[in-house]
């Protein structure tokens, strides 16, 4: 039966099955001998880098003596290559970082980085720097995005993250005891615990020195006690979860420790010679590779042996190990539980029966139904197992059979999550697509989930597989912006020969696919590639002004930038453009640019009013707005007034007056500003006069008060001549003069003078000011002198009311024949019953007469 | 700080809006570890008092200071400036930092801009050589809910800045604030705008929607059905009139600031001589909620009437009762003054626009008597607008009298008013009478106790702005287009989002049934005043919203709550 053949390929390690499906065979490359090369394989089915190993003596066949760095995908399809000409001595190590940058470290500590297109990413990073230029790197250990390097004098350096590119020198391991007089000893082997697994969050380096192990951190060294008899350790490797260390002891034992070197397990190998490669396979077993032989040791006694007649490279993954040989790529993994339950020889699990039932169904055998009936109650688990097992398969036809079995079973069970199968189909379609040798990313489902679709898409576009990336992101309902954006940028870089207009069309055609895509970013890229015109054309399509405007500035399109900023209504953007132009252009040119643009001009003026007075004057002068300059000068005159230092202690207020006079003459240049001009003239005159008054009265209370205030002050001080002088000088009207003088006299309660004043002549505004002034000063007697002289009976009535004379008020009101007034006055006297009745009677009489 | 209003009964979920703002502020403070001195610009401080309690800030190791030109007094090493992005505030920050530097004090400075950092402010910090000493951040506070139905953008200078300086930053801010609301409550399908600024805001709002779309699922009905944008410029008559509603009068006489008034404790019947207390005024006070929108006459009358006492008993809120009796009595001392009555009389005479000479002489006399400048300006603005400017001779005469009476520094004030078109030379015939008649602004025989028209808020004058809103809600702009043309600025009417394809002429009324939100709540109209709204106008809107046959709840957005006094004040330059 088909089932048997599946399980026949499995090996049993302890009580667990392992399998080793071939991912690619044969490899697409030709004539590759791994043993002649240094090899770096990226995890998660990433690319493979090969370069001839210059530490080995190899025979050159018909090839150039120059070494080539060659990059392949996992199926052996060449991605790119480049001749290795980098200085700095022997290549010590190379590895892929998380973002698929190939990191190569040479003897002098220089780090060269390449992308998957074998293009050097500059600048290079120097690990040793100037301070240790005479040292050499002898060993390096990589992890995710970092590396640890050991120099020949046993100094330890680390780059915790290639993205931040900072180099950290770690603490020095302790020197050997002096009494032994040994030369400085390099560690036998090195392993690294990644920062993500350490308490401190910094990398911890394990160095096997002498019989023990030393742990080195940024500022700490700690000796870890290795169980006696184990050291010196020949080879060490840390497990994928950072919690265990597998090590090969000096006497041929494989030992597994915790990271604090408590032994958990050991196995006596047949050879005391350390293995060439040591790797964890998941967390359950350790692989040891010697020439020809790969040994898999698990917790049980009996290991599994695989024989290889060609060199291999072990590539640890989160859920197994990929084995790369000259001709194939295999994946060694623990057989998943679901798969075991279906395919294990003699399995009678519901899943196995369901799988079998499908077989019967296909052959139109009635036994299908019998099988189903047997497992009716556990059908959902059976379906689930089939779906799960399908996910773990690399073989497409077996995926299909398993999914068919699942869907067959699902038809008979009502309570199974229906979208499970659909979802798995989706996932498998994606996985199969990227596993295709042309793409060559042999992800297992577990790796895919850990990696996430977004990162996978990132890797695809990085490898310029834009179409597939676009299709996948569309298929999975993800945002396509990333893909299209990257495509557009790559397209621009790669299309030097295509004219701007044509390229724009090509780009727009695709950019339109994605709403909200950043045209600004694409445009910026075009500009960086020296295609300024294309950049300008692209930026035209950016809807977000906040992105568009800065870019327009950077490509020198100031006018357009100003226009767009203004259109956006975002004053902050307008300011951005303003300052940019201001800095770049000559003042006159700058003025010219903003003159016709109202918003820009007004904002400039607002800013300059606060902080750039002189420059603002230049601006107004340049466009002939003399009155604005005049206003500025006038304003400055107050600033000087407030600041005695600015007037240089001059008691004559000379500088102030000078400024105001200048303003006056500027105003008079234009016909429209006669009023302002006159006002300025008067102002200057006023300050002079006030100053004189201050000198004569020896009181500094005049300057900066108004003309009316000055008159009042003079009268209050009893200086009527001065008041009169101000009055005539500024042609103060009689009306105003009366109000001012009456109130001023009332202020000093000079009632005689007031009365005298009232009799000088008939007051031009009647006696109301006199009445008001007296009432406000609470002088009823004085008020009564003037109330009868009021011409309007209404005014008389109200005045009487204000001083509480109800009877007189009522009489006056009835004289006015104003019912409404009577009503109001009654309210005023609401508390006074007698007064109230007077008003009522009067009102009745009025309404009777019909005059109301 | 004043009591924070309860927003639970708001027609929109404003509580979450406010909580978001609280959280953002606290996060800023949390991210700056340890003790710190928080230096707030005073105006922002009073806005924040409607957002967060001071005690909550202190819990986060904050020492509070107000930003001023004076050197900063604190022992804290970390200083956090929380300021609006206003140019003049930068001077203070710089002088504070320079002062520290000259004293050899080493501090860590953080500057958080509200609502966002701006190039121009950072430029000033750069030029003053303090930019490198600071960490810059932003606190995106665009909206402050002042009450259940009032949102403020807290842009107190918006009107002056855009009318006089041509600085339209506030328009962007308003659009951004509305767009932020849309992210919470869905794209507003109907937009009606009147006035230059309003039309521009509608335009910027559309741009924002194109640049950064609100993705509302197709089937969800947006919570706000209509946005009505109105420039203050369209109606400068209303704010210049004395408000006669209870809340409006409180503002006129005592200046309500962010939902509270400050007055002598003795007025409130407390035995603390000379001490000032803050009285919160918002709808969390149930009695206030009932009487705030009434005409003050009615408030005074009802206070002695048993009806209200029954009501109070029901509410079981005697402290509130005493509070408002005290307040109302205090207000009466203002309203019973002859000057106040004279002022009201004159306002109505000006609005009637029949007796030009009487008005002119009255204003002339005010100037001669050197009445407070702002009071004079209010009437003068009212006069100039209703008569479409003053004949040149009188214009020059009054200006000269003003300068002579109040000082030449007010040349700048006059210049500002002229730029804003509030006080100008007559160039054409006034169309105020036409507008007044067409919109029925003056309503005879207004029963203030049982009003049947918004005119009750001014005892006989219906605010022009709210008349426009009334029309806009009822039937859109179309039927009153001829009148709109007589008012300043363009108008526009658009349908947005997935509604943009449907014909724009269908009226709100017709679509009211479809627009009704499923859970029985009425759908909403957001009325935004660019340049400020008065309490009296808010009362009028509440009156409209409570009318029978009104299918909508109205909610107000404004750059700031203003009064004629505070508006006129922004134009006054104090140089001396």
């Amino acid at each position: 039966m088909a089932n048997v053949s599946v399980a026949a390929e499995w090996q049993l390690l302890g009580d667990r099955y392992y399998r080793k499906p071939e991912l690619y065979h044969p490899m697409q490359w030709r004539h590759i001998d791994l043993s002649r090369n240094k090899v770096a394989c990226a995890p998660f089915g990433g690319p493979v880098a090969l370069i001839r190993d210059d530490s080995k003596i190899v025979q050159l066949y018909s090839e150039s003596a120059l070494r080539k760095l060659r990059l392949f995908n996992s199926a052996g399809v060449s991605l790119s290559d480049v001749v290795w000409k980098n200085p700095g001595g022997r290549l010590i190590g190379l590895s892929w970082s998380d973002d698929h940058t190939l990191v190569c470290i040479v003897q002098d500590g220089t780090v060269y980085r390449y992308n998957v297109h074998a293009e050097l990413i500059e600048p290079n990073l120097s690990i040793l720097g100037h301070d240790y230029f005479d040292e050499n790197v002898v060993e390096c250990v990589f992890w995710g995005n970092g590396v640890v390097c050991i120099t020949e004098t046993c100094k330890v350096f680390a780059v915790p993250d290639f993205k931040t590119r900072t180099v950290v020198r770690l603490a020095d391991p302790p020197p050997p005891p002096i009494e032994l007089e040994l030369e400085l000893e390099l560690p036998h082997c090195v392993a690294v615990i990644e920062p993500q697994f350490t308490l401190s969050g910094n990398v911890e380096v394990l160095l096997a020195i002498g019989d023990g192990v030393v742990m080195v951190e940024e500022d700490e060294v700690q000796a870890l006690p290795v169980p006696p008899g184990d050291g010196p350790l020949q080879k060490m490797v840390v497990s994928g979860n950072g919690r265990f260390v597998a090590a090969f002891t000096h006497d041929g034992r494989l030992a597994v420790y915790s990271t604090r070197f408590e032994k958990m397990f050991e196995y006596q190998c047949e050879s005391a010679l350390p293995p060439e490669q040591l790797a964890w396979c998941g967390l359950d077993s350790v692989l040891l590779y010697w020439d020809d032989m790969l040994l898999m040791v698990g917790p049980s006694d009996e290991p599994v042996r695989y024989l290889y007649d060609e060199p291999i490279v072990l590539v640890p993954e989160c859920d197994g190990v990929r084995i790369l040989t000259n001709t194939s790529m295999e994946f060694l993994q623990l057989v998943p539980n679901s798969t075991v339950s279906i395919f294990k020889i003699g399995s009678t699990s519901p899943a196995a029966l369901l799988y079998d039932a499908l077989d019967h169904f296909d052959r139109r055998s009635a036994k299908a139904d019998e099988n189903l009936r047997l497992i009716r109650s556990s059908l959902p688990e059976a379906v689930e197992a089939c779906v799960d097992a399908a996910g773990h398969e690399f073989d497409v036809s077996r995926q299909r059979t398993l999914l068919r079995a699942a869907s067959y079973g699902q038809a008979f069970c009502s309570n199974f999550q229906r979208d499970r199968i659909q979802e798995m189909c989706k996932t498998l379609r994606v996985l199969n697509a990227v596993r295709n040798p042309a793409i060559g990313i042999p992800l297992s489902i577990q790796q895919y989930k850990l990696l996430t679709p977004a990162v996978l898409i990132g890797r695809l576009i990085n490898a310029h597989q834009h179409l597939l990336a676009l299709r996948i992101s569309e298929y999975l309902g993800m945002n396509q912006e990333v893909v299209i954006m990257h495509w557009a940028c790559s397209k621009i870089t790669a299309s030097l020969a295509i004219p701007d207009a044509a390229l724009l069309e090509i780009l727009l055609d695709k950019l339109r696919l994605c709403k909200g895509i950043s045209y600004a970013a694409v445009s910026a890229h075009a500009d960086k590639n020296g295609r300024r015109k294309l950049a300008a054309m692209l930026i035209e399509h950016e809807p977000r002004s906040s992105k568009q405007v800065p870019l327009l500035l950077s490509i020198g399109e100031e006018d357009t930038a100003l226009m767009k900023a203004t259109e956006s209504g975002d004053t902050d953007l307008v300011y951005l453009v303003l300052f940019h132009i201001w800095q770049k252009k000559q003042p006159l040119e700058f003025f010219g640019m903003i003159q016709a643009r109202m918003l820009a001009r007004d904002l400039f003026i607002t800013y300059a009013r606060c902080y750039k007075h002189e420059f603002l004057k230049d601006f107004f002068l340049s466009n002939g707005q003399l009155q604005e300059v005049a206003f500025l000068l006038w304003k400055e005159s107050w600033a000087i007034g407030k600041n005695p230092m600015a007037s240089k202690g001059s008691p004559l207020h000379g500088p102030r007056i000078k400024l105001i006079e200048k303003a006056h003459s500027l105003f008079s240049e234009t016909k429209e500003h006669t009023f302002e001009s006159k006002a300025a003239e008067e102002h200057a005159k006023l300050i002079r006069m006030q100053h004189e008054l201050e000198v004569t009265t020896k009181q500094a209370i005049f300057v900066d008060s108004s003309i009316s205030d000055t008159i009042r002050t003079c009268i209050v001080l009893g200086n009527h001549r001065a008041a009169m002088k101000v009055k005539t000088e500024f042609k103060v009207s009689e009306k105003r003069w009366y109000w001012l003088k009456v109130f001023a006299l009332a202020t000093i309660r000079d009632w005689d003078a007031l009365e005298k004043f009232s009799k000088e002549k008939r007051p031009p505004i009647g006696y109301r000011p006199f009445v008001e002034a007296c009432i406000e000063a609470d002088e009823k007697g004085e008020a009564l002198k003037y109330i009868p002289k009021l011409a309007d009976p209404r005014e008389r009535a109200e005045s009487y009311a204000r001083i509480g004379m109800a009877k007189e008020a009522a009489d006056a009101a009835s004289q006015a024949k104003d019912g409404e007034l009577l009503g109001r006055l009654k309210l005023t006297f609401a508390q006074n019953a007698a007064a109230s009745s007077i008003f009522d009677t009067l009102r009745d009489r009025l309404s009777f007469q019909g005059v109301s | 700080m004043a009591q924070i209003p309860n927003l639970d009964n708001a027609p929109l979920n404003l509580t979450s809006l406010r909580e978001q703002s609280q959280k953002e502020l606290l996060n800023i403070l949390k991210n700056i570890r340890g003790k710190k001195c928080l230096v707030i610009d005073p105006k922002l401080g009073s806005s924040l008092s409607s957002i967060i309690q001071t005690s909550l800030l202190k819990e986060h190791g904050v020492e509070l200071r107000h930003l001023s030109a004076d050197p900063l007094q604190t022992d804290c090493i970390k200083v956090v400036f929380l300021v609006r992005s206003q140019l003049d505030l930068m001077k203070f920050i710089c002088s504070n930092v320079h002062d520290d530097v000259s004293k050899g004090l080493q501090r860590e400075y953080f500057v958080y801009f509200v609502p966002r950092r701006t190039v121009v402010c950072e430029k000033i910090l750069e030029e003053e050589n303090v930019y490198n000493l600071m960490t810059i951040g932003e606190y995106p506070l665009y909206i402050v809910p002042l009450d259940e139905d009032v949102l403020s953008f807290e842009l107190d200078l918006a009107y002056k800045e855009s009318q006089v300086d041509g600085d339209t930053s506030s328009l962007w801010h308003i659009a951004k604030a509305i767009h932020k609301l849309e992210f919470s409550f869905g794209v507003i399908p109907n937009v009606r705008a009147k006035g230059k600024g309003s039309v521009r805001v509608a335009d910027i709002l559309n741009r924002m929607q194109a640049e950064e779309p609100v993705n509302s699922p197709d089937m969800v009905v947006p919570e706000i059905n209509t946005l009505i944008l109105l420039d203050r410029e369209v109606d400068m008559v209303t704010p210049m009139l004395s408000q006669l509603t209870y809340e409006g009068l409180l503002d006129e006489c005592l200046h309500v600031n962010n939902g509270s008034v400050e007055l002598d404790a003795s007025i409130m019947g407390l035995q603390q001589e000379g001490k000032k207390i803050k009285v919160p005024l918002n709808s969390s006070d149930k009695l206030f909620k009932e009487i705030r929108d009434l005409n003050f006459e009615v408030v005074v009358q009802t206070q002695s009437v048993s009806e209200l006492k029954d009501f109070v008993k029901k509410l079981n809120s005697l402290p509130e009762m005493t509070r408002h009796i005290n307040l109302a009595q205090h207000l009466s001392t203002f309203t019973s003054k002859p000057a106040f009555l004279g002022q009201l009389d004159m306002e109505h005479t000006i609005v009637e626009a029949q007796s030009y000479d009487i008005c002119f002489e009255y204003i002339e006399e005010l100037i001669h008597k050197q009445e407070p400048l702002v009071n004079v300006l209010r009437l003068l603005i009212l006069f100039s607008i209703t008569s479409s400017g003053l004949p040149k001779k009188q214009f020059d005469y009054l200006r000269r009298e003003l300068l002579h009476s109040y000082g030449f520094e007010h040349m700048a004030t006059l210049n500002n008013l002229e730029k804003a078109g509030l006080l100008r030379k007559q160039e054409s015939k006034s169309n105020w009478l036409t507008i007044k008649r067409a919109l029925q602004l003056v309503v005879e025989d207004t029963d203030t106790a049982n009003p049947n028209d918004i005119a009750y808020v001014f005892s006989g004058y219906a605010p022009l702005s709210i008349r426009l809103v009334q029309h806009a809600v009822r039937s859109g702009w179309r039927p009153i287009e001829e009148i709109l043309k007589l008012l300043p600025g363009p108008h526009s009417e658009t349908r947005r989002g997935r509604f943009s394809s449907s014909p724009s002429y269908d009226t709100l009324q017709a679509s009211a049934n479809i627009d009704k939100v499923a859970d029985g709540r009425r759908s909403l109209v957001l009325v935004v005043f660019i340049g400020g709204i008065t309490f009296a106008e808010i009362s009028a809107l509440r009156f409209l919203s409570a009318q029978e046959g009104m299918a909508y709840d109205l909610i107000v957005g404004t750059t700031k709550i203003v009064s004629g006094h505070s508006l006129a004040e922004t134009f006054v330059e104090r140089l001396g």
Side-chain angles (χ1 to χ4, degrees), chain A residues 184-232:
Chain A
L184 189 67
E185 184 191 20
L186 283 173
H188 311 295
C189 59
V190 186
V192 160
I193 305 176
E194 293 181 30
Q196 57 167 320
F197 300 126
T198 65
L199 272 181
S200 62
N202 294 323
V203 65
E204 293 177 0
V205 184
L206 302 171
L207 302 171
I209 295 177
D211 284 354
V213 169
V214 176
M215 189 193 71
V216 177
E217 269 185 280
E218 209 159 298
D219 40 20
E220 199 188 348
V221 177
Q222 197 184 343
L224 299 174
V226 174
D230 284 5

Side-chain angles (χ1 to χ4, degrees), chain B residues 4 16-29 31-32 38-41 43-53 56-57 80-85 110-118 122 135-145 153-154 172-173 176 180:
Chain B
I4 296 181
S16 74
L17 204 74
R18 185 170 63 195
E19 276 168 5
Q20 174 71 19
S21 299
Q22 282 175 358
K23 216 166 67 192
E24 279 164 352
L25 180 57
L26 292 180
N27 277 341
I28 288 172
L29 297 175
N31 288 336
I32 301 167
L38 183 63
V39 186
I40 304 187
D41 90 62
K43 275 188 188 157
L44 178 63
S46 78
S47 308
L48 283 180
S49 65
S50 319
I51 295 278
I52 196 163
Q53 255 120 5
L56 206 53
L57 294 178
V80 187
F81 294 102
L82 188 62
V83 293
R84 293 163 302 141
S85 349
F110 301 82
V111 179
Y112 279 84
F113 286 109
V114 180
R116 59 163 180 167
R117 53 200 294 178
T118 60
E122 288 178 48
T135 314
I136 309 266
E138 38 188 53
Y139 172 40
L141 179 71
Y142 285 89
I143 303 171
V144 175
F153 310 123
E154 292 300 284
W172 188 89
H173 180 125
K176 182 81 183 171
K180 274 189 98 163

Side-chain angles (χ1 to χ4, degrees), chain B residues 480-533:
Chain B
I480 52 164
E481 260 182 351
E482 288 309 313
I483 300 153
L484 285 181
K485 280 182 196 152
L486 299 178
L487 294 164
H491 62 276
S492 73
E493 187 158 356
T494 43
R495 280 177 84 75
R496 298 164 72 227
R498 63 201 153 91
F499 304 92
S500 56
S501 50
S502 47
S504 64
Y505 51 78
D506 67 343
T507 63
L508 272 173
Q509 214 73 30
S511 54
N513 291 331
I514 321 161
D515 291 335
K516 205 162 270 182
V517 179
D519 59 6
R521 278 197 302 172
R522 301 200 294 176
S523 61
L524 267 180
V525 175
L526 172 63
V527 183
V528 172
F529 273 70
I530 299 175
I533 189 170

Side-chain angles (χ1 to χ4, degrees), chain A residues 319-334:
Chain A
D319 57 343
V321 168
R322 274 187 297 135
I323 301 167
L324 175 67
T325 74
N326 290 346
T327 56
S328 72
M329 169 82 79
E330 299 168 329
F331 183 46
L332 175 57
Q333 69 166 161
L334 189 68

Side-chain angles (χ1 to χ4, degrees), chain A residues 663-723:
Chain A
H664 156 65
S665 71
L666 282 170
F667 277 129
S668 59
E669 297 269 327
T670 42
K671 261 216 306 260
E672 296 82 35
H673 298 92
T674 331
F675 178 80
E676 286 83 354
S677 165
K678 268 196 195 136
E681 195 182 6
E682 282 189 322
H683 189 203
K685 197 156 71 176
L686 177 65
I687 295 181
R688 276 209 189 89
M689 238 172 148
Q690 289 172 329
H691 175 66
E692 278 165 28
L693 280 168
E694 289 191 355
V695 172
T696 49
T697 60
K698 299 204 176 63
Q699 296 198 69
I701 49 170
F702 287 98
V703 172
D704 274 343
S705 64
S706 69
I707 292 176
S708 293
D709 289 338
T710 308
I711 292 176
R712 277 202 200 204
T713 316
C714 288
I715 296 175
V716 166
L717 291 177
N719 194 342
H720 292 274
R721 261 188 52 204

